[in-house]
């Protein structure tokens, strides 16, 4: 069950919350209690979508073709209904925590945003026509685990949608999207067999790797701009230490195992980048 939760993706739940809280500290004042609740929502949604993906791909037979880390449903390690229950339990915890935030902030319209996030998490690979099978998975990840998570974290603390939260959300979102993209690059051949038309399948390996490298390097241009306004955000530049091995792996013909390593490094890069921005704002 721990493997099924895909712990290597969880840094992506921390990154937008840290970045958004840092933005709040310079645009109206941070509230660490609300930030903690936002982190719980982010973590529960990430775990929920991981279990939901495990369940849906498993019952569709998609995971019969894949190679890589254990999948609970596809491997037969857990009953499909148990995995589905775990997914909805995580979504339920996210919903309850989100409701607490809404009550505390009295921003009732955010209930709709929370509902959209849960629906997006489920229908990524769930339902009759999952959008993750039609090349839109990366778009949803960028929107919800980048923009919505970062801007939302800042907004619940300040009641303001600032330019800083949008820029930070773009940077964090690019890393979250890159994690999904490199995962799909690894699975191109098996996804073709399963009829799963991800962006990586549609673009092919070479172009997908180029887009992936652009995604992991482009956030540094945002850092360069923010550095002029908030010098301490230079901390986010520490991500270069992870980008070097990532680039080395992606620029050559890498094995499945090496691409899994790139995925992990990209997830950590997202955390380093988001934390670098957040702490940079905080100490500026």
């Amino acid at each position: 069950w721990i493997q099924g939760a895909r712990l290597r993706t969880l840094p992506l739940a921390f990154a937008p919350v840290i970045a958004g809280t840092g933005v709040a500290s310079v645009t109206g004042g941070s509230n660490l209690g609300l930030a903690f609740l936002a982190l719980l929502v982010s973590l529960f949604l990430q775990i929920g979508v991981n279990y939901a993906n495990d369940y849906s791909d498993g019952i569709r037979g998609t995971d019969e073709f894949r190679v890589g880390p254990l999948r609970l449903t596809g491997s037969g390690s857990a009953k499909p209904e148990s995995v589905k229950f775990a997914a909805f339990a995580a979504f339920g915890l996210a919903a309850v925590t989100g409701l607490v935030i809404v009550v505390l902030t009295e921003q009732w319209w955010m209930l709709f945003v929370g509902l959209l996030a849960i629906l997006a998490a489920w229908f990524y690979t769930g339902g009759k026509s999952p959008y993750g099978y039609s090349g839109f998975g990366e778009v949803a990840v960028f929107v919800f685990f980048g923009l919505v998570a970062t801007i939302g974290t800042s907004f619940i603390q300040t009641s303001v949608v600032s330019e800083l939260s949008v820029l930070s959300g773009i940077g964090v979102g690019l890393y979250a999207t890159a994690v999904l993209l490199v995962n799909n690059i690894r699975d191109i051949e098996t996804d073709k067999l399963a009829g799963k038309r991800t962006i990586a399948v549609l673009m092919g390996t070479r172009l997908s790797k180029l887009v992936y490298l652009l995604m992991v390097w482009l956030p540094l241009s945002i850092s360069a701009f923010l550095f002029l306004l908030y010098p301490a955000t230079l901390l986010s530049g520490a991500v270069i230490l992870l980008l070097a091995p990532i680039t080395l792996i992606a620029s050559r013909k890498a094995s499945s195992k090496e691409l899994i390593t790139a995925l992990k490094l990209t997830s950590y890069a997202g955390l380093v980048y988001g934390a670098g921005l957040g702490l940079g704002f905080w100490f500026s």
Side-chain angles (χ1 to χ4, degrees), residues 20-273:
T21 300
V23 170
S25 71
V26 296
T27 57
S30 58
N31 183 318
L32 295 184
L34 289 173
F36 177 70
L37 291 173
L39 176 60
L40 291 180
V41 171
S42 187
L43 283 169
F44 289 141
L45 281 176
Q46 183 69 61
I47 292 171
V49 74
N50 288 341
Y51 282 137
N53 178 248
D54 188 306
Y55 166 76
S56 296
D57 277 349
I59 63 170
R60 289 178 189 278
T62 305
D63 285 342
E64 292 179 12
F65 303 97
R66 70 178 300 282
V67 293
L70 175 74
R71 291 293 181 263
L72 292 171
T73 308
S75 68
S77 298
K79 294 180 179 179
E81 290 305 312
S82 296
V83 180
K84 183 179 181 181
F85 176 82
F88 278 94
F91 292 149
L93 290 170
V96 170
T97 310
L99 179 59
V100 173
I101 293 175
V102 169
V103 171
L104 291 175
T105 61
E106 298 184 350
Q107 299 288 348
W108 300 102
W109 61 272
M110 293 189 73
L111 290 171
F112 178 67
V113 177
L115 177 61
L116 282 181
I118 292 174
L119 290 175
W122 173 252
F123 286 106
Y124 166 54
T125 54
K128 294 182 178 180
S129 301
Y131 64 86
Y133 280 59
S134 302
F136 292 102
E138 283 81 357
V139 175
V141 166
F142 178 76
V143 170
F144 287 101
F145 285 97
L147 294 176
V148 172
T150 308
I151 296 171
T153 297
S154 175
F155 179 81
I156 62 173
Q157 299 175 64
T158 64
S159 299
V160 173
V161 176
S162 67
E163 293 85 352
L164 288 180
S165 66
V166 175
L167 285 173
S168 300
I170 291 172
V172 170
L174 284 171
Y175 281 111
T177 307
V179 168
L180 178 59
L181 181 56
V182 73
N183 180 72
N184 288 338
I185 290 172
R186 185 198 64 185
D187 291 340
I188 284 178
E189 296 306 319
T190 54
D191 282 344
K192 285 180 180 178
L193 291 173
K196 189 175 182 179
R197 294 171 59 81
T198 63
I199 285 180
V201 169
L202 295 172
M203 293 192 302
T205 301
R206 180 175 295 183
L207 182 56
S208 295
K209 284 186 174 181
L210 176 60
V211 172
Y212 167 65
L213 288 174
L214 286 173
M215 284 182 176
V216 298
W217 281 99
L218 190 57
L220 286 178
S221 64
I222 297 175
S223 296
F225 172 74
L226 293 176
F227 169 72
L228 300 175
L229 303 173
Y230 302 93
T233 56
L234 181 64
L235 289 169
S236 63
V239 74
I240 291 177
L241 297 175
L242 293 169
L243 297 188
I246 286 172
T247 302
L248 180 62
I249 293 172
S251 60
R252 61 190 180 85
K253 188 175 182 180
S255 65
S256 177
K257 185 177 180 180
E258 289 173 319
L259 289 174
I260 292 173
T261 298
L263 185 155
K264 294 177 181 178
L265 292 174
T266 307
S267 183
Y268 296 144
L271 176 58
V272 170
Y273 181 81

